[in-house]
Amino acid sequence: MAAIPQTSPTPPEVPEQKTTATPKSSSLWLDAFSRLIRSKTSFIGLLIILLLLVVAAMAPVVATHDPTDQQLLDRYLAPSGDHWLGTDELGRDIYSRIVYGTRISIQIGLIAVGISAVIGILLGGIAGYFGRWIDQIIMRVIDILMAFPSILLAIALVAVLGASLTNAMIAIGIVGVPQFARIVRSTVLSVKETEYIEAARAIGAKNNRILFQHVLPNCLAPIIVQATLSIGTAILDAAGLSFLGLGAQPPSPEWGAMLSDGRAALQTAPWVVAFPGLAIFLVVLGFNLFGDGLRDALDPRLKQ
């Protein structure tokens, strides 16, 4: 009887598993940048700011005349090919003065907001982290500063310090401290209760190290937004002080001072005040649009 050949059983077919690629995790800043460039309003604000920076950096090339050169025979000339935006009461080219005035505006915005940010971050961080009587003292001083209108407080400070562009920037910087202090304090109050801060305390890290290396770096998003919005406000306040004669002094081509010098000829030569006013409007609008877009982009609730 012939032997029946034995065949090994074939293993059951295992269905092929499809591997799904895990999405790459992106950081908060990359997500914020992608949302920022997709926003039309913030993109327009960014273009205005970049234009301001380019004009300020290339002022000697962009300007057509010396901003302080006086030509009394060319007083109140209307806009023409020789003077694109006309001339003022001393025959100075308005276009060139506006171009050089962008440097002053950037200087005012950066220095004034820098003063506000440094003092406000320190006060808000200390008040929010340590709390108790330190928080009460700091915040009551902040409340007193916020009780005064900002422009009136700036005028009072400049009146005490003396009328000059430097003192105007110091005054505007002091006036802007409460906004930074309150924002940083509220952020620190929420950040200091997180798990990694508790872990840092558990391993014996000192309070100074926790505050400056762990707490404040996680408050950067609202600080950056507030700084961007404050630059436009600082430029506007400085123009107001210069218009009152408390800021930049002649012959500085500051936009607020140009408005003050040309107000006497508002009806006969409106271009003397129209173009400096338009420059202030565009710069403040640019920083406000960019700041609003940056605030929306850095909002973690919008992250999908």
Side-chain angles (χ1 to χ4, degrees), residues 127-131 185-201 210 214-215 218-219:
Y129 184 79
F130 293 100
R185 176 182 176 272
S186 62
T187 309
V188 169
L189 287 175
S190 60
V191 172
K192 74 174 185 178
E193 302 298 333
T194 54
E195 291 80 3
Y196 63 90
I197 300 298
E198 296 294 337
R201 292 195 188 100
I210 295 175
H214 300 287
V215 177
N218 287 279
C219 303

Side-chain angles (χ1 to χ4, degrees), residues 7 17 23 28 33 46 49 53 60 80 91 96 99 111-112 136 161-162 174 178 181 196 217 225 229 240 277 282:
T7 59
Q17 297 180 353
L28 170 66
F33 179 74
L46 179 60
I49 295 174
L53 296 175
S80 62
S96 299
V99 167
I111 295 178
Q136 293 296 324
L161 299 175
I174 295 175
Y196 63 90
V225 173
L229 294 172
L282 289 177

Side-chain angles (χ1 to χ4, degrees), residues 215-288:
V215 177
L216 290 181
N218 287 279
C219 303
L220 284 179
I223 292 174
I224 293 174
V225 173
Q226 180 61 35
T228 305
L229 294 172
S230 298
I231 292 177
T233 304
I235 294 174
L236 191 60
D237 290 343
L241 293 176
S242 298
F243 182 83
L244 298 174
L246 300 175
Q249 301 299 312
S252 176
E254 202 275 332
W255 295 339
M258 294 174 64
L259 289 176
S260 179
D261 295 338
R263 59 183 174 177
L266 181 60
Q267 295 182 351
T268 58
W271 56 85
V272 179
V273 295
F275 293 115
L278 181 61
I280 297 174
F281 167 76
L282 289 177
V283 171
V284 175
L285 177 65
F287 279 104
N288 287 342

Side-chain angles (χ1 to χ4, degrees), residues 53-113:
L53 296 175
V54 171
V55 170
M58 303 181 63
V61 179
V62 177
T64 57
H65 295 77
D66 187 344
T68 60
D69 184 26
Q70 301 180 10
Q71 299 292 334
L72 298 180
L73 297 179
D74 296 334
R75 297 172 66 245
Y76 294 127
L77 292 180
S80 62
D82 294 332
H83 301 281
W84 295 349
L85 302 182
T87 60
D88 60 6
E89 72 281 359
L90 297 177
R92 296 171 297 192
D93 185 69
I94 295 177
Y95 167 75
S96 299
R97 290 178 63 79
I98 291 177
V99 167
Y100 276 89
T102 56
R103 291 184 169 184
I104 301 177
S105 297
I106 292 176
Q107 179 185 4
I108 292 171
L110 294 180
I111 295 178
V113 173

